[in-house]
Amino acid sequence: MISQDVVLVRYGEITLKDSWTRQSWERILAGNIAFYLQKAGVEYRSERGEGRIFVFTSDQRASEIISRVFGVVSASPASTVPSNLEEIARAAVDLAKQAAPKSFAIRPRRSGVSFSSEEIGRAVGEAVRVATGSKVNLSRPEMEIFVEARRERSFIFTRIVPGVGGLPLGSQGKMLALISGGIDSPVAAWLMMKRGCPVSLLHFDSRPYADAISQCRRSAEVLGQWSSGRKIDFITVPISRGIEKIAAHYPRATCILCRRLMYLIAAQVMEKQQCLGVVTGYSMGQVASQTAENILAEQAGMCLPVFHPLISMDKTEIVDLARKIGTYEITEETKSCTAVPAKPMTRASREEMLRAEEILGLREMAGRLVEEMKVERIG
Ligand code: ATP
Ligand code: MG
């Protein structure tokens, strides 16, 4: 009976790169995949080439493990067969007999072999039809049998496990993700990881206004499970003294000025951590403080790139992702900050906020608070 001896790993976007970049990213991806396979105790041997990574293993868990690695578009547990039509047909018959579908379709591809895709479809389809009595149905078959015929060897498979997509973690620069203990911010950090960026996580400890350190640490641990063995720095900086001063003088603008203080601190942490940008969990209009006017007033004059990967997403989409990532249960009960005013300013004026920042001495305060930074390595 035919069985899986390889997993075909597809990685989409990387194939569009020039050869130097492609090779370097393929190497990173192969290394990240290797980390998870070794961690799970999977025995395997891998090869790169022809726009694929081939992971030779009979371990049934391999394709699911591989599909969760950033950069993987899909993975197929497959069987290797010699590149001739008789052997391919025999393998297809074997697969069809195991599944006994009412209808089937052959999905052929070829490169470097003398026969055409049509010939594969015809010969293999006919063999399956005769051996099993199953009907050919190209539009809505119960079973699809994929054939990839190549010069050296051919592959045959029935499943395409969708991958998480994105780019290999480590192919892009490191980000400093601001993490608050709520649902959104770990999702934002994860989306940047998905696009190849390792992350450090910065939490502003706002006790007694909010207490979310344990949720943040647990989210960091979950994100660590996605980071291909790279440890994640979980950084905390106390910010309550700043909040107290801001709320006493500019109650309606507390959130905006607090955010400016966060960015001023983040700019310094970013340098220390060799990060290239800051990430937030903002979603346009989600709460009163997350308006276009406020974002402008919060970021005006800041010398740092701020990324908001959730900006166009609806809450339901964010929650779905949080569930998939594994951070939803940790963060769903987190209480919001009690320093948030009853009527927060939704249309802050940039000039007014810059003036308030001067009067309150937020820059100097940021310098003092950052000295109290603590770093914990997670993962
Ligand atoms: P989340 O669900 O991520 O907690 P939120 O909906 O509660 O966000 P805000 O409190 O306005 O919204 O925060 C918006 C973003 O600002 C957060 O996603 C996070 O990136 C950052 N942020 C807010 N509070 C903190 C904090 N205490 N420490 C670090 N970052 C924070
Ligand atoms: Mg939010």
Side-chain angles (χ1 to χ4, degrees):
M1 202 169 73
I2 190 159
S3 60
Q4 168 201 313
D5 59 7
V6 65
V7 178
L8 308 184
V9 185
R10 305 178 189 84
Y11 45 71
E13 245 176 274
I14 302 177
T15 50
L16 305 175
K17 299 289 162 192
D18 62 83
S19 118
W20 191 89
T21 310
R22 197 177 66 224
Q23 285 191 35
S24 122
W25 290 10
E26 279 173 0
R27 218 173 297 128
I28 299 174
L29 179 60
N32 291 350
I33 290 173
F35 169 79
Y36 287 106
L37 292 175
Q38 282 161 20
K39 190 171 164 212
V42 172
E43 281 189 32
Y44 72 98
R45 174 178 68 78
S46 80
E47 271 176 32
R48 286 187 283 132
E50 304 168 73
R52 294 260 196 284
I53 295 173
F54 303 95
V55 177
F56 293 94
T57 180
S58 56
D59 195 313
Q60 303 288 310
R61 299 169 301 160
S63 49
E64 301 296 335
I65 294 171
I66 292 168
S67 69
R68 285 170 62 91
V69 179
F70 295 125
V72 172
V73 169
S74 65
S76 288
S79 306
T80 314
V81 288
S83 287
N84 66 67
L85 285 176
E86 295 74 36
E87 295 282 358
I88 295 171
R90 192 172 313 151
V93 167
D94 207 350
L95 284 174
K97 278 188 173 160
Q98 288 174 38
K102 288 198 185 64
S103 62
F104 73 97
I106 307 297
R107 306 288 189 215
R109 291 176 65 164
R110 42 88 66 193
S111 73
V113 290
S114 59
F115 39 87
S116 67
S117 293
E118 290 76 37
E119 283 173 299
I120 301 174
R122 218 175 311 120
V124 178
E126 183 62 8
V128 170
R129 193 184 64 75
V130 169
T132 64
S134 179
K135 286 198 177 60
V136 174
N137 182 342
L138 294 183
S139 50
R140 293 189 63 200
E142 200 182 305
M143 179 186 199
E144 287 181 295
I145 301 176
F146 299 88
V147 174
E148 281 192 24
R150 293 164 184 253
R151 194 195 318 272
E152 310 281 322
R153 62 206 161 182
S154 296
F155 302 101
I156 185 158
F157 53 95
T158 57
R159 284 174 62 213
I160 299 177
V161 182
V164 66
L167 297 177
L169 189 81
S171 65
Q172 302 300 312
K174 190 162 138 195
M175 290 289 142
L176 180 65
L178 305 188
I179 179 166
S180 63
I183 293 170
D184 307 305
S185 43
V187 177
W190 184 88
L191 282 172
M192 296 309 281
M193 292 168 75
K194 175 172 178 272
R195 286 305 292 178
C197 304
V199 292
S200 289
L201 302 173
L202 171 57
H203 174 63
F204 293 102
D205 180 357
S206 335
R207 286 176 293 180
Y209 300 103
D211 185 355
I213 288 214
S214 77
Q215 287 93 328
C216 288
R217 189 177 287 114
R218 284 166 62 205
S219 296
E221 281 160 6
V222 172
L223 291 173
Q225 290 163 15
W226 290 90
S227 75
S228 300
R230 288 173 178 76
K231 295 219 183 303
I232 291 188
D233 280 349
F234 174 57
I235 304 155
T236 51
V237 173
I239 202 174
S240 328
R241 268 175 285 144
I243 299 179
E244 197 178 346
K245 189 164 180 189
I246 293 167
H249 292 86
Y250 295 90
R252 284 203 64 207
T254 300
C255 297
I256 299 153
L257 292 170
C258 176
R259 209 52 48 100
R260 285 192 70 86
L261 180 58
M262 287 183 183
Y263 287 144
L264 290 169
I265 296 170
Q268 298 185 41
V269 177
M270 208 176 100
E271 296 291 326
K272 289 182 200 289
Q273 285 278 313
Q274 290 165 333
C275 293
L276 307 182
V278 164
V279 181
T280 84
Y282 267 59
S283 159
M284 186 61 82
Q286 190 195 72
V287 286
S289 56
Q290 296 176 19
T291 61
E293 289 84 350
N294 286 5
I295 293 174
L296 181 68
E298 285 164 12
Q299 286 178 225
M302 295 284 167
C303 294
L304 75 173
V306 185
F307 299 95
H308 308 290
L310 311 182
I311 200 71
S312 67
M313 289 172 68
D314 299 344
K315 192 74 187 187
T316 49
E317 295 174 281
I318 300 170
V319 165
D320 286 349
L321 259 181
R323 286 212 168 90
K324 170 174 156 177
I325 297 164
T327 50
Y328 181 74
E329 280 73 23
I330 299 169
T331 52
E332 77 178 317
E333 301 284 332
T334 301
K335 300 209 174 43
S336 41
C337 175
T338 54
V340 175
K343 275 192 186 309
M345 199 178 267
T346 54
R347 299 208 170 152
S349 131
R350 172 168 37 167
E351 292 70 29
E352 229 176 283
M353 292 303 108
L354 286 167
R355 220 166 22 246
E357 179 176 299
E358 276 293 317
I359 295 168
L360 292 173
L362 293 190
R363 274 173 201 269
E364 298 70 30
M365 190 185 286
R368 284 196 299 276
L369 290 173
V370 84
E371 283 171 19
E372 296 177 45
M373 149 176 159
K374 290 202 182 81
V375 183
E376 199 179 310
R377 303 214 87 192
I378 293 198

